[in-house]
Amino acid sequence: MRPFVILCLLMLAASSIMVGAQQTLPPEYNPLVYERLDVVVRALPNGSALVEFTAALRNEGKVMVVPGYGLIPLTVSQRETFLGLPLPSEKTSNGSISILEAENLDTRRKMEALIITKNGTRAIRYSLWQPLKPGDVERIRLIFRIDGAIAKGVLFDEMDFSLGPLSNTVKEGTLRVIPPPNQRITFSDPPLEGESWDISGTRSRGSFKISVEFSRIPLPRMPFHGYFVIWGGIILLILALILVRLRR
């Protein structure tokens, strides 16, 4: 009987310690953070987007952690068009996602990555089973292509791209968009300062969304969409024709 009693006492003590730990830690506590995250989006001439996701995952906790699964939810929207001209409304694109590369940069081994649907949003789920001791960092890279990511217009092309909610908090990070060859960025929301957006401080379960407009016209970056210029020009032309007809 004594061994049985001792075993019960040990199990009771262990359960008490686990309950105490659960009460001490916040319910959404996650010791894993993106110490560094760099996202590069290359807009391709065929309307696709090539995305490179490079991250340094660090364990900020006090115990060893196995990262397991990480999620990269993706949403691409396109502006509605009428007679080839963009309208203010937008719709979610149904372009397919293809994973081209998933690699652990430290071990030089391929990672498991697949496309899933979570809460109605498509996401890339990657797996990392390398145990991380407190303070350890593991670097990963994923490259994937999103077809139909860019809405083609008469003079302007546009891409609305959303990444998140992410699995981990971003300590330091950047997001850069490279326009198609022979095109330049004429508008962006949020406004682009320099070559990339600063996404440092994005919290776990946080996300970021950008809207970028490209054009072959050598225009500077404007504080408004280029299609405003098109619609404004059309309206002014119509008004001018009406005035000329009234004068006659």
Side-chain angles (χ1 to χ4, degrees):
M1 291 293 293
R2 285 186 177 180
F4 177 75
V5 174
I6 293 174
L7 179 61
C8 290
L9 291 174
L10 290 175
M11 293 178 62
L12 180 61
S15 62
S16 299
I17 293 172
M18 291 178 63
V19 171
Q22 291 176 355
Q23 292 176 348
T24 301
L25 296 177
E28 298 179 359
Y29 175 73
N30 184 357
L32 298 174
V33 300
Y34 288 127
E35 183 179 58
R36 180 74 196 183
L37 174 62
D38 292 297
V39 182
V40 179
V41 183
R42 290 180 173 85
L44 304 179
N46 62 0
S48 301
L50 189 66
V51 183
E52 183 174 342
F53 183 97
T54 306
L57 194 64
R58 179 163 62 92
N59 178 12
E60 284 194 338
K62 297 181 179 180
V63 297
M64 183 179 294
V65 175
V66 177
Y69 294 120
L71 288 178
I72 309 174
L74 302 164
T75 303
V76 176
S77 302
Q78 290 187 356
R79 202 154 297 273
E80 302 274 7
T81 60
F82 175 73
L83 298 178
L85 297 176
L87 298 174
S89 59
E90 63 180 30
K91 63 179 180 180
T92 300
S93 172
N94 294 319
S96 62
I97 303 175
S98 303
I99 300 174
L100 306 180
E101 180 181 321
E103 182 183 13
N104 184 322
L105 296 177
D106 292 320
T107 62
R108 292 299 176 181
R109 293 180 180 177
K110 292 184 178 180
M111 298 167 48
E112 180 190 50
L114 51 87
I115 300 167
I116 65 171
T117 301
K118 185 176 178 64
N119 298 327
T121 302
R122 284 177 301 176
I124 294 178
R125 189 185 73 182
Y126 64 87
S127 59
L128 184 62
W129 302 106
Q130 176 69 30
L132 298 180
K133 295 184 294 184
D136 278 359
V137 177
E138 202 77 10
R139 297 179 302 130
I140 63 173
R141 179 174 61 202
L142 292 96
I143 300 177
F144 45 93
R145 184 182 68 247
I146 307 175
D147 295 329
I150 302 172
K152 295 287 188 177
V154 178
L155 299 175
F156 300 91
D157 300 337
E158 187 173 3
M159 178 179 65
D160 293 328
F161 178 78
S162 177
L163 189 64
L166 296 174
S167 303
N168 311 96
T169 296
V170 180
K171 291 292 185 178
E172 293 184 2
T174 60
L175 171 64
R176 183 184 179 191
V177 173
I178 300 176
N182 302 320
Q183 294 194 37
R184 62 175 63 192
I185 296 176
T186 54
F187 169 80
S188 65
D189 183 25
L192 179 61
E193 297 181 2
E195 297 296 327
S196 61
W197 288 269
D198 184 7
I199 59 174
S200 303
T202 303
R203 305 295 298 175
S204 175
R205 300 190 179 184
S207 59
F208 44 90
K209 179 180 179 180
I210 58 171
S211 177
V212 184
E213 188 178 72
F214 314 110
S215 179
R216 292 182 176 83
I217 304 175
L219 295 173
R221 290 177 187 170
M222 299 179 290
F224 44 79
H225 284 281
Y227 63 81
F228 287 156
V229 177
I230 296 178
W231 279 112
I234 292 175
I235 293 173
L236 289 176
L237 178 61
I238 293 174
L239 290 176
L241 293 176
I242 293 175
L243 290 173
V244 170
R245 189 173 182 84
L246 290 175
R247 288 182 177 181
R248 289 181 179 179

